[in-house]
Amino acid sequence: MSKQTLSFQAEVAQLLHLVTHSLYSNQEIFLRELISNASDACDKLRFEGLNNSALFEDAPNLEVRVAFDKAAKTLTITDNGIGMSEQEAIDHLGTIAKSGTKDFMGKLSGDQKQDAQLIGQFGVGFYSGFIVADKITVESRRAGLPAEEGVRWTSGGTGDFEVEAINRPARGTSIILHLRDDAEEYLNAWKLKQVIAKYSDHISLPILMEKEEWKDGELINSDDENGGRQPGGMVKTGEWETINKASALWSRPKKDVTEEQYADFYKAISHDQEAPLTWAHNRVEGNTEYTQLLYIPAKAPFDLWNRDKKAGVKLYVKRVFIMDDAEALMPTYLRFVKGVIDSADLPLNVSRELLQESRDVRAIREGSTKRVLSMLEDLAKHDKHEAAAAATADDAVTDVVDADDKAKEGKYSQFYAEFGAVLKEGLGEDFGNRERLAKLLRFASTTSDTATVGFADYKARMKEGQEAIYYITADNLAAAKNSPQLEVFKKKGIEVLLMTDRVDEWALNYLHEFDGTPLQSVAKGAVDLGTLQDEGEKKAAEEAAEAFKPVLAKLKEALKDKAEDVRVTTRLVDSPACLVVQDDGMSTQLARMLKQAGQQAPETKPVLEVNAEHALVKKLDGSVHFHDLAHILFDQALLAEGGLPEDPAAYVKRVNALLV
Ligand code: ADP
């Protein structure tokens, strides 16, 4: 068989360039990534071996070996896992299968620090080897294939790679890193052990290194870095020893796991370089028994908005890895949660289809969802130093570990800034937890520019006689704050929640009240401030409306193609007019958003509300420019809420004619 030279997929070449240029400040992560791949490969073998024990050949003990050769300047990581066929090596090591790769590449700015952070979240995996190596050789044979069907893959990490068939009796994969001059520190057992302890202690597989001993060493000064021994240095003994704890982190008792180890484990499973915001580690007992170790990240991943994105929770059954991204374990709106669930009840050969139907899985999913909500409630509680009742768990839980209280301060706002909008999807997705979710939502309001106002805070501040929670949706905070619809609320000092996330409008369709108080959009229906409006005002408004009736009839006629109705309103103070939708109508923003996204939106005409007290509106009566003024009034109301006149040129012409 001859060698073939193949090109990397364009994105791989780009990623490789970035890896070598941005990640050198955090060199050592390459070892974590390669050991993690080795461990995954063993997990896959164990899984496939459930139905085909022949795959284990004569080596049933799965393990990873780390070896270095000072003279050749190579570091080799070998696993006896599933291995790769030639085609798999070409496919897996030459392309990136992750969805969203292109988008991800587009986000990179060229600023090394920022990019390094993003790459960390993306997970560079195998390619991280090129941080320390200027050439990588991979030798592999897939479990079950004959020795002659081994493969050697070689690349210098630039445009292309070579593959050739080799004879490889041993099942599994060796990754041989030809180290750069500036990475020679990894040719040292002490350094390797230190990095492995930091990143890979939780790996449930034994990681082995060859024992070394002193050759002709003479103790000179035991304080220096070589332990004081000089001449012959360390030599290999041919004996291998396990250098990690080799027990799954989540199965250890909490007292044996430090905060740092929890954080390191998170980094290893999430590829995130930052520590998590919080986590919960519980053993749940009852009808369904399982262990959950769930983390909330500090930063949103680059592909958070991809609802098809893989979920972040790994499923294990009695410590045997079953699958990544088991979407049945977490609802979609909690897709940012990372972690591990280890079930004691599920069968080892459980399939994705089976997962969807299993009652145990449903119980785990419900329990885990509640656990995440409890974690968030807990953060929210500490964020505000409220003495609110602690979240109660619904399962009988023992062995709970949480990040400590003091450290939780300020974290809810941080969480909310990153993931708040995703959480809102839950209102439409998880009816059972709707009330708990509603309590976790935060918005900006007419009294707060930052998204810190919860419905409960709002309710506590409601005016005497106020019967609804008022809100407005808009494209952005400035547009929301300056909405003409807010004028009367501002005048009366009534707080209005300002909702500017794209999902708000949709999510609010599923929430009609909070704790018995209805939610009311100030841009829908007629304003009825109820007892908040005094009798005098009501009377004045009615009289103004009566006097305005003839003009109103003419306005309706002039705008009959654009407006469903025209009516006099009391909601305006400074503006001449605004648009509102009927009570059951879709807001103009949402309709606009749907159209922009190329979707169908119902063609509903808005209602034009006019302020009969406004000079411009008063001018209408008897004006020779009545028709033009009427259209300008309508188009301006549209502009004020971020829309565009149907015929912008006609609008400009009309305004200019009046200006001249
Ligand atoms: P990821 O692990 O996130 O999928 P990587 O770039 O690290 O991405 O690896 C790409 C693919 O290469 C893996 O999904 C796997 O199929 C294959 N691979 C990498 N390392 C090994 C290994 N040690 N044994 C078997 N397959 C491997």
Side-chain angles (χ1 to χ4, degrees):
M1 275 275 220
S2 58
K3 272 189 191 174
Q4 323 176 39
T5 301
L6 296 161
S7 297
F8 284 118
Q9 178 195 26
E11 279 90 26
V12 177
Q14 216 179 332
L15 185 65
L16 279 170
H17 180 83
L18 281 158
V19 164
T20 45
H21 288 83
S22 312
L23 286 182
Y24 54 77
S25 58
N26 200 5
Q27 266 191 346
E28 61 190 25
I29 61 144
F30 81 93
L31 204 51
R32 170 187 82 193
E33 299 292 312
L34 297 181
I35 290 179
S36 154
N37 279 353
S39 159
D40 288 350
C42 292
D43 280 343
K44 281 182 198 156
L45 176 66
R46 210 179 274 139
F47 186 62
E48 284 192 23
L50 291 172
N51 294 320
N52 180 6
S53 58
L55 290 180
F56 285 102
E57 301 173 8
D58 53 2
N61 295 325
L62 301 175
E63 60 185 30
V64 180
R65 290 179 184 237
V66 178
F68 60 91
D69 179 337
K70 268 200 158 133
K73 290 199 198 164
T74 56
L75 174 62
T76 303
I77 294 125
T78 302
D79 66 71
N80 58 357
I82 193 74
M84 283 177 272
S85 67
E86 183 165 335
Q87 193 56 46
E88 284 171 327
I90 293 173
D91 292 345
H92 296 157
L93 306 180
T95 57
I96 307 177
K98 287 193 187 83
S99 62
T101 305
K102 276 226 168 74
D103 293 352
F104 166 74
M105 291 294 171
K107 283 212 178 119
L108 298 171
S109 60
D111 171 342
Q112 291 185 349
K113 237 178 132 181
Q114 242 179 5
D115 290 350
Q117 164 92 36
L118 267 176
I119 293 173
Q121 293 181 11
F122 183 75
V124 279
F126 169 74
Y127 303 108
S128 64
F130 287 105
I131 306 171
V132 291
D134 47 24
K135 179 177 155 195
I136 299 182
T137 307
V138 178
E139 294 181 356
S140 190
R141 174 173 68 78
R142 200 180 202 287
L145 290 181
E148 321 65 89
E149 291 190 35
V151 58
R152 177 181 293 128
W153 178 104
T154 315
S155 176
T158 46
D160 46 32
F161 60 90
E162 279 174 1
V163 274
E164 63 185 312
I166 57 165
N167 193 62
R168 181 178 161 99
R171 171 195 76 218
T173 305
S174 294
I175 311 281
I176 304 152
L177 304 168
H178 302 266
L179 297 178
R180 293 172 194 280
D181 291 342
D182 66 356
E184 282 180 27
E185 59 179 317
Y186 297 100
L187 298 172
N188 173 310
W190 179 82
K191 172 75 183 176
L192 291 169
K193 282 180 188 169
Q194 183 210 2
V195 178
I196 291 169
K198 179 164 169 196
Y199 292 114
S200 306
D201 230 5
H202 63 271
I203 296 262
S204 53
L205 210 62
I207 300 172
L208 304 162
M209 276 179 70
E210 197 174 341
K211 259 190 180 162
E212 290 180 316
E213 63 182 21
W214 291 103
K215 170 104 177 156
D216 310 326
E218 200 182 314
L219 200 60
I220 297 167
N221 174 4
S222 60
D223 289 338
D224 81 11
E225 76 171 59
N226 290 327
R229 303 244 188 190
Q230 288 302 323
M234 304 287 284
V235 290
K236 308 250 162 69
T237 59
E239 221 183 297
W240 292 77
E241 60 176 342
T242 301
I243 57 160
N244 64 331
K245 289 211 176 63
S247 80
L249 180 120
W250 63 90
S251 64
R252 294 185 213 158
K254 62 176 184 188
K255 65 175 191 336
D256 295 350
V257 187
T258 64
E259 288 216 0
E260 205 181 349
Q261 284 170 325
Y262 277 119
D264 287 340
F265 180 65
Y266 164 78
K267 290 179 187 172
I269 59 168
S270 67
H271 301 281
D272 192 348
Q273 292 180 30
E274 237 178 276
L277 211 52
T278 189
W279 67 86
H281 182 191
N282 309 294
R283 199 156 300 145
V284 182
E285 280 150 17
N287 287 338
T288 315
E289 275 181 35
Y290 58 99
T291 299
Q292 46 177 207
L293 174 52
L294 301 173
Y295 292 92
I296 297 185
K299 281 266 157 38
F302 68 96
D303 57 351
L304 179 68
W305 290 104
N306 179 1
R307 276 179 55 91
D308 301 329
K309 164 190 158 63
K310 295 176 174 175
V313 177
K314 292 174 193 281
L315 175 65
Y316 284 74
V317 172
K318 297 185 197 83
R319 243 136 287 157
V320 176
F321 170 79
I322 305 296
M323 65 181 80
D324 259 328
D325 50 85
E327 59 281 313
L329 297 178
M330 255 320 145
T332 309
Y333 73 97
L334 296 180
R335 58 187 175 275
F336 53 85
V337 175
K338 305 267 189 239
V340 167
I341 284 176
D342 193 338
S343 158
D345 306 315
L346 290 170
L348 278 166
N349 58 355
V350 67
S351 66
R352 275 181 202 273
E353 293 68 40
L354 226 97
L355 277 184
Q356 304 290 350
E357 286 154 24
S358 151
R359 278 181 50 201
D360 285 322
V361 171
R362 221 170 303 140
I364 292 176
R365 176 188 166 107
E366 274 167 27
S368 303
T369 301
K370 293 206 159 97
R371 174 69 43 219
V372 174
L373 296 182
S374 306
M375 270 197 270
L376 296 178
E377 282 157 357
D378 193 42
L379 287 186
K381 189 178 83 188
H382 286 88
D383 214 29
K384 305 209 63 197
H385 314 280
E386 274 170 13
T392 47
D394 299 39
D395 304 300
V397 169
T398 54
D399 215 20
V400 183
V401 191
D402 287 310
D404 84 84
D405 285 1
K406 183 80 187 151
K408 288 176 192 161
E409 282 173 24
K411 284 191 173 171
Y412 193 68
S413 352
Q414 201 185 335
F415 161 79
Y416 203 80
E418 296 288 324
F419 301 106
V422 186
L423 202 63
K424 290 174 189 165
E425 293 174 11
L427 290 180
E429 197 183 324
D430 186 356
F431 298 157
N433 287 307
R434 199 183 290 162
E435 273 165 38
R436 283 180 83 173
L437 279 166
K439 284 187 192 148
L440 286 168
L441 301 187
R442 301 288 181 270
F443 303 96
S445 87
T446 42
T447 61
S448 164
D449 273 354
T450 50
T452 50
V453 185
F455 288 122
D457 307 316
Y458 181 101
K459 271 195 77 164
R461 291 202 285 261
M462 274 181 14
K463 290 232 157 200
E464 177 111 13
Q466 183 179 343
E467 279 154 13
I469 296 173
Y470 293 107
Y471 70 91
I472 185 162
T473 55
D475 295 345
N476 56 61
L477 194 64
K481 273 164 77 173
N482 296 317
S483 285
Q485 282 96 338
L486 292 185
E487 288 171 4
V488 70
F489 293 90
K490 281 187 195 152
K491 188 174 147 199
K492 297 206 166 279
I494 301 170
E495 185 173 12
V496 177
L497 297 174
L498 308 175
M499 306 196 175
T500 51
D501 268 336
R502 293 180 79 97
V503 298
D504 285 333
E505 177 89 29
W506 172 86
L508 268 276
N509 276 329
Y510 295 95
L511 193 72
H512 302 290
E513 54 147 56
F514 178 82
D515 194 15
T517 307
L519 266 63
Q520 169 69 48
S521 162
V522 303
K524 277 187 183 175
V527 253
D528 179 11
L529 292 179
T531 52
L532 291 171
Q533 215 163 17
D534 64 49
E535 286 308 313
E537 281 174 328
K538 271 190 193 157
K539 209 158 163 240
E542 275 162 25
E543 281 170 14
E546 191 59 32
F548 197 66
K549 261 194 175 154
V551 188
L552 204 57
K554 276 177 74 184
L555 264 181
K556 273 189 208 175
E557 179 56 26
L559 296 173
K560 67 173 188 288
D561 292 338
K562 290 181 171 171
E564 180 70 33
D565 191 12
V566 182
R567 61 190 181 217
V568 175
T569 184
T570 53
R571 82 173 91 214
L572 298 173
V573 179
D574 303 317
S575 302
C578 70
L579 297 176
V580 295
V581 291
Q582 304 284 38
D583 252 333
D584 52 355
M586 181 182 276
S587 84
T588 38
Q589 273 99 17
L590 184 57
R592 200 158 55 233
M593 245 157 62
L594 286 176
K595 277 187 202 151
Q596 277 166 2
Q599 294 189 35
Q600 288 235 312
E603 285 297 331
T604 51
K605 286 187 274 182
V607 173
L608 181 72
E609 290 197 345
V610 295
N611 175 0
E613 315 274 329
H614 196 278
L616 182 58
V617 178
K618 284 184 175 158
K619 219 175 169 174
L620 280 168
D621 196 6
S623 167
V624 289
H625 302 295
F626 186 89
H627 186 81
D628 284 340
L629 282 174
H631 281 272
I632 288 171
L633 210 56
F634 183 92
D635 286 347
Q636 283 188 343
L638 197 57
L639 282 168
E641 63 165 49
L644 261 189
E646 219 171 66
D647 184 353
Y651 168 77
V652 172
K653 245 190 194 157
R654 283 189 179 115
V655 171
N656 286 350
L658 289 174
L659 287 175
V660 171

